[in-house]
Amino acid sequence: MSNATIAILDFGSQYVQLIARRVRENQVHSLIFAPDVGPDALREHNVIGIVLTGGPASTYSDSAPRADPGIFDLGVPVLGICYGMQVACEQMGASVRAAGAREYGRTGLTLVVDDPLLAHVSNPTHVWMSHGDVVDGFGDEFATLARTKHCPHAVVKHLRRPFYGVQFHPEVTHTPEGGQILRNFLFEVCHAEGTWSAGSIIERSVANLRGQISGDLRVLCGLSGGVDSAVTAALLHRAVGDRLTCIFVDNGLLRAHERDRVEALFRGNFSIDLRVVDAERRFLSALAGVTDPQEKRRIIGHEFVNVFRHEAGEIPNARFLAQGTLYPDVIESGHSSAGKAANIKLHHNVGGLPAELGFELVEPLRDLFKDEVRRIGEVLGLPEEIVWRHPFPGPGLAVRILGEVTRENCDLLRVADQIIIEEIRATGWYRKIAQAFGVLLPISAVGVMGDGRTYADQRVVAVRFVESTDFMTADWVHIDPVVLGRISTRITNEVPGINRVVYDITSKPPGTIEWE
Ligand code: XMP
């Protein structure tokens, strides 16, 4: 039987993944489904509660997405949030109309009836609103549990079915007691047990991997130095021991000491069969003279597959290839358990190796969010430095060196980048930043050093620090200028060849996180 699951039905809210994570933070498993998922699919997943998310539509527009009416007869509790509340109330006989006054932002909420959903919540309290429609006109089928100044039915309950609706957003931190309301829904209303922990995820995953990779078959795992592939390898190692072979391709586009770190950890600490392929020359000669970013990516991807294919051919019985695909990649590629996601975005972090390599894919993290991957990494004994590492793009320094990628440029950027990382670690900023790096620009600027003018053999480095939760949008970090000052002083003093440092203050959009 699958885990007891809370189903999140995606009506197009920007907070869909946030809701799924909030549920899991309470050690309750959650999965995201298309808005019109049917009761059979939910039964199959052992669903013990359903959340209907908010969304941009109005229930009275023609194209408004609706829930399958069968889900209201499943007998499991349903919580509608914002649009999710409106559409469910309407499907159960209430009407929805444009609000007399729209409510956006922090709003006072008065509780009018005691109910388990609102247990331990202050009265009055504050909630985060963002709506132009309200539920109205619902005879005696529903009861009102709370209201705001402009929303007469801000929290409602159906009197015959296990349905609750909240017009505000309990999932956002701007609703200070939203966490309590979600916990009430999970534990008081759905009677969830809260057994989805790092330990239970590892146990279940190890059992599945042992079932899948049976007999004397071997599994390959490409290591990148990042947390996802490291946790994938550590899980596989626990499941199949020495039937795991890891391959690490040193393409010459890595950060300083990356290869040593990976070797020390996996070969040293974990005693994993690790093959390190020294392919720097091969990659750099393929990249010689290339300046177009997409062409760089294409070449790197192509070389990577060739190197990997060659190494894999040397390992007998290698039937499986492991990848560190995460749940957000699965949802965004439109392959969620519902077979359809409202919001289809193609993300270039998916996979990395084409399935046509002839292996069966093993993706032990495809049900997990990044924070869960980090927690299980810690439980599996990976060091903090790997577990909390910022993401690093597959094409590596090549997309951070604008213009041609040469060994000299890579070395220059490696040293500057190392200084950047050292300084943000030393000042406690590393964990507050989602991604931090330097970009080597293809320009020279005039400088003065000692009594002399510098120019021709000098380059400019841009420092980029962003904060982001999903890397689809990002903001530049308003970092302490003292830290920037130290970075600038150290780079210009310690890296011959760089005489100017600038800070990138572009958000995404309109910029991207990387420069290429
Ligand atoms: P952008 O630059 O698109 O980056 O805002 C979003 C996130 O994706 C990473 N990134 C890549 N990762 N291969 C990868 O594996 C790539 O070609 C690639 N390009 C960007 C980037 O570092 C950021 O985390």
Side-chain angles (χ1 to χ4, degrees):
M1 187 62 157
S2 34
N3 274 283
T5 296
I6 298 292
I8 319 289
L9 274 49
D10 177 359
F11 283 92
S13 162
Q14 58 178 316
Y15 301 129
V16 174
Q17 292 192 30
L18 180 65
I19 299 171
R21 285 198 356 249
R22 288 273 178 270
V23 172
R24 291 190 186 194
E25 279 161 15
N26 285 293
Q27 308 211 325
V28 178
H29 184 232
S30 64
L31 285 175
I32 297 169
F33 292 86
D36 56 354
V37 62
D40 291 343
L42 297 183
R43 244 184 244 113
E44 247 171 57
H45 282 91
N46 191 16
V47 164
I48 58 163
I50 301 170
V51 177
L52 313 179
T53 75
S58 255
T59 56
Y60 39 85
S61 90
D62 286 343
S63 55
R66 294 205 148 46
D68 181 321
I71 68 164
F72 300 112
D73 296 326
L74 265 175
V76 304
V78 179
L79 173 67
I81 296 176
C82 196
Y83 175 83
M85 162 188 182
Q86 296 163 6
V87 78
C89 287
E90 195 198 63
Q91 288 188 250
M92 288 186 277
S95 56
V96 174
R97 61 168 171 81
R102 289 160 168 257
E103 284 179 309
Y104 287 102
R106 186 179 147 93
T107 309
L109 180 84
T110 307
L111 317 188
V112 294
V113 174
D114 276 344
D115 189 275
L117 184 73
L118 301 173
H120 316 296
V121 174
S122 327
N123 190 15
T125 182
H126 279 103
V127 295
W128 188 259
M129 284 288 196
S130 175
H131 68 115
D133 291 344
V134 291
V135 170
D136 204 0
F138 52 53
D140 50 11
E141 290 278 82
F142 293 85
T144 300
L145 306 183
R147 57 179 148 70
T148 67
K149 190 163 169 220
H150 296 291
C151 182
H153 311 294
V155 180
V156 301
K157 173 182 189 167
H158 198 278
L159 294 174
R160 285 182 302 102
R161 291 168 155 155
F163 171 80
Y164 285 98
V166 292
Q167 184 54 67
F168 57 88
H169 289 274
E171 69 274 27
V172 301
T173 49
H174 305 295
T175 298
E177 295 184 272
Q180 181 65 52
I181 295 170
L182 286 179
R183 275 195 298 283
N184 289 341
F185 179 68
L186 298 175
F187 299 110
E188 305 298 326
V189 178
C190 301
H191 305 293
E193 286 184 359
T195 51
W196 178 258
S197 62
S200 76
I201 298 172
I202 293 171
E203 227 172 82
R204 194 181 54 109
S205 175
V206 164
N208 287 344
L209 290 168
R210 285 188 182 145
Q212 194 180 0
I213 308 162
S214 55
D216 59 355
L217 295 173
R218 299 191 67 82
V219 55
L220 301 183
C221 179
L223 291 177
S224 67
V227 59
D228 303 340
S229 62
V231 172
T232 303
L235 259 179
L236 281 163
H237 189 240
R238 184 166 285 199
V240 302
D242 60 9
R243 287 189 290 123
L244 165 70
T245 297
C246 288
I247 298 178
F248 179 73
V249 179
D250 181 352
N251 55 13
L253 307 168
L254 305 170
R255 290 186 142 152
H257 311 303
E258 195 72 1
R259 173 177 173 165
D260 302 341
R261 257 195 291 262
V262 167
E263 285 194 299
L265 178 63
F266 288 96
R267 201 174 270 154
N269 266 19
F270 276 87
S271 302
I272 284 177
D273 174 23
L274 171 66
R275 318 272 164 111
V276 175
V277 190
D278 190 348
E280 179 180 33
R281 205 141 12 115
R282 177 178 183 138
F283 278 80
L284 291 185
S285 53
L287 286 168
V290 178
T291 55
D292 178 70
Q294 287 313 84
E295 184 61 7
K296 287 181 187 172
R297 276 200 175 73
R298 195 194 59 73
I299 292 171
I300 293 166
H302 180 79
E303 291 301 324
F304 191 81
V305 169
N306 282 342
V307 170
F308 201 89
R309 191 197 303 266
H310 179 264
E311 281 306 302
E314 309 273 294
I315 298 160
N317 273 348
R319 160 92 64 87
F320 299 94
L321 176 67
Q323 292 198 158
T325 315
L326 303 191
Y327 194 43
D329 304 333
V330 174
I331 301 163
E332 280 152 14
S333 311
H335 306 301
S336 72
S337 32
K340 171 180 163 193
N343 189 5
I344 299 175
K345 298 177 204 137
L346 271 183
H347 202 249
H348 40 203
N349 275 347
V350 183
L353 288 167
E356 309 88 74
L357 278 181
F359 294 99
E360 271 178 53
L361 276 187
V362 177
E363 297 178 307
L365 312 182
R366 66 180 278 123
D367 265 354
L368 305 179
F369 287 104
K370 192 92 170 182
D371 40 352
E372 294 170 318
V373 169
R374 291 197 157 124
R375 268 205 305 281
I376 71 174
E378 281 170 339
V379 173
L380 289 168
L382 292 171
E384 199 246 337
E385 199 203 306
I386 291 263
V387 168
W388 290 98
R389 169 156 302 197
H390 295 168
F392 184 67
L397 300 182
V399 290
R400 295 177 177 174
I401 292 171
L402 274 54
E404 190 183 2
V405 182
T406 61
R407 172 74 196 262
E408 294 68 42
N409 287 345
C410 289
D411 286 341
L412 209 55
L413 183 55
R414 256 191 285 271
V415 184
D417 185 80
Q418 191 179 358
I419 292 172
I420 292 170
I421 301 297
E422 276 172 11
E423 287 302 323
I424 57 170
R425 276 195 193 282
T427 49
W429 278 90
Y430 187 86
R431 288 273 287 266
K432 293 185 244 167
I433 295 175
Q435 237 176 326
F437 53 91
V439 182
L440 187 66
L441 306 186
I443 48 173
S444 297
V446 173
V448 54
M449 277 186 185
D451 290 328
R453 177 182 186 274
T454 59
Y455 180 65
D457 55 350
Q458 299 292 317
R459 302 278 294 268
V460 181
V461 156
V463 175
R464 179 98 166 120
F465 295 153
V466 295
E467 52 188 25
S468 174
T469 45
D470 57 8
F471 299 91
M472 303 301 235
T473 59
D475 199 4
W476 59 279
V477 176
H478 296 231
I479 193 168
D480 181 353
V482 173
V483 180
L484 288 177
R486 282 187 56 84
I487 289 170
S488 167
T489 305
R490 279 196 60 195
I491 291 180
T492 47
N493 283 343
E494 296 174 33
V495 193
I498 296 176
N499 69 348
R500 192 172 292 252
V501 176
V502 297
Y503 188 53
D504 181 352
I505 50 167
T506 319
S507 59
K508 171 185 179 176
T512 51
I513 294 175
E514 304 292 344
W515 276 45
E516 286 197 334

